[in-house]
Amino acid sequence: MSLYQDVTNIINSLHQKLLKLANQDELIHHLQMHRSYICQSEALDEYIDETRELAKRCLSTNKDNERLNEMLNDQLDLLARLALTKHIENEELGKNRRSRVGYLHQKLAEYRQYLTKFDDQIRLHPNLPKSHKLYERREKCLFAINNLEEKINRLEWRK
């Protein structure tokens, strides 16, 4: 069996254990707050898919990318710790929605700063073709901002 298949089997096993946890909201909250995940979803499957994709990237490239390998290790470590936990508690961040909304507002401000920087770069280079990476990154940033705003609205409506 290949190393990729071994890692995939581990991820699948962790996924099954995580699905059995009672408090899925707290599980998702832990995943959203962790620095190694890019995804900011409300669905466990999307975090698992991100870990699978990262494993594929790490194990399929010939060159050793230390940052990607570190992210994969962090994600697998987090998933394993959460899967072994019978009851997830979030003491340091608090269990209330306000701390989560506050964190999302901080992320939103950070993303808006990125958007401003992209816009400034575009204004400084008015002759850039629309196919330039800067426009692509700006669009991804806008998409992330819209997702965060929707998530904040959903959480604030639940209060």
Side-chain angles (χ1 to χ4, degrees):
M1 195 180 314
S2 73
L3 180 58
Y4 174 71
Q5 190 60 45
D6 289 342
V7 172
T8 300
N9 288 340
I10 290 168
I11 295 169
N12 291 340
S13 173
L14 292 170
H15 186 207
Q16 292 307 310
K17 289 178 182 174
L18 291 169
L19 286 171
K20 294 176 185 173
L21 290 175
N23 196 343
Q24 290 290 305
D25 287 341
E26 282 297 317
L27 170 65
I28 296 300
H29 180 66
H30 275 277
L31 295 170
Q32 288 173 335
M33 299 298 279
H34 200 266
R35 63 181 162 76
S36 67
Y37 279 102
I38 296 168
C39 164
Q40 287 291 305
S41 175
E42 295 289 327
L44 174 62
D45 289 346
E46 292 190 32
Y47 292 93
I48 297 299
D49 290 344
E50 181 178 327
T51 302
R52 283 188 186 117
E53 182 60 34
L54 187 55
K56 184 178 176 182
R57 287 177 57 198
C58 286
L59 299 172
S60 67
T61 58
N62 293 334
K63 61 182 177 181
D64 185 30
N65 188 327
E66 188 175 329
R67 188 179 67 78
L68 288 180
N69 290 334
E70 204 172 285
M71 279 179 64
L72 178 61
N73 284 336
D74 286 349
Q75 287 183 7
L76 289 172
D77 179 60
L78 176 65
L79 292 175
R81 280 187 288 117
L82 292 172
L84 293 173
T85 304
K86 297 277 187 242
H87 178 71
I88 298 174
E89 292 186 17
N90 194 355
E91 295 169 9
E92 74 262 5
L93 297 173
K95 289 193 170 201
N96 61 31
R97 233 179 250 117
R98 285 186 309 235
S99 68
R100 190 166 172 199
V101 171
Y103 170 77
L104 292 176
H105 276 290
Q106 286 177 324
K107 282 305 248 187
L108 183 60
E110 182 183 328
Y111 290 175
R112 284 184 175 150
Q113 286 177 340
Y114 291 139
L115 183 64
T116 300
K117 288 178 184 179
F118 292 138
D119 288 341
D120 289 345
Q121 286 296 314
I122 290 170
R123 274 191 291 280
L124 287 173
H125 302 94
N127 296 330
L128 282 177
K130 295 289 181 194
S131 61
H132 194 273
K133 287 280 188 196
L134 191 58
Y135 285 101
E136 181 181 325
R137 291 178 67 200
R138 184 186 184 281
E139 285 304 311
K140 285 182 181 180
C141 188
L142 268 176
F143 182 75
I145 287 171
N146 289 334
N147 283 343
L148 278 175
E149 287 174 342
E150 287 175 19
K151 190 178 294 187
I152 289 168
N153 284 337
R154 281 194 310 268
L155 288 171
E156 287 177 339
W157 270 103
R158 283 192 221 162
K159 286 184 181 178

